Amino acid sequence: MTNSKIRNNSDDLQGQIVPNNTPAIQADRILDALTALYPDATGHVVDLMEYALCDLRHLADQHVICFGSTDQRGYRTYLQEKAQ
């Protein structure tokens, strides 16, 4: 999925369409969200990922969803986005 926005706040970029969900931006957004969600991890990325993955598995269990299958689909999406 590609989202774009028109930037009008800079003379050199005025009217240009600039992507607003590049992999780097997505990584920054999830890091900000996880840091807010798990403040005890004090920003350690490995800990944040571990806590989030654990909680996502709990969520999958609660809704009777196969985490592994969902993870595989997410991985395929990741590969597609990374290749762009």
Side-chain angles (χ1 to χ4, degrees):
M1 175 188 309
T2 301
N3 291 332
S4 297
K5 64 180 178 179
I6 297 177
R7 299 203 40 180
N8 290 317
N9 58 347
S10 171
D11 291 336
D12 59 329
L13 294 176
Q14 191 160 0
Q16 278 188 355
I17 296 177
V18 179
N20 67 357
N21 76 334
T22 64
I25 291 171
Q26 290 171 318
D28 288 343
R29 286 179 182 161
I30 196 66
L31 179 59
D32 290 344
L34 292 176
T35 300
L37 189 58
Y38 304 107
D40 293 344
T42 61
H44 294 126
V45 175
V46 172
D47 291 342
L48 292 168
M49 290 175 61
E50 179 182 333
Y51 298 160
L53 287 167
C54 178
D55 288 347
L56 287 170
R57 284 175 172 81
H58 290 309
L59 179 64
D61 290 347
Q62 190 175 48
H63 292 273
V64 192
I65 295 169
C66 178
F67 182 86
S69 296
T70 305
D71 182 50
Q72 287 176 353
R73 287 193 308 274
Y75 182 66
R76 286 191 296 271
T77 301
Y78 158 78
L79 290 175
Q80 290 172 351
E81 289 178 355
K82 188 175 178 179
Q84 294 178 355

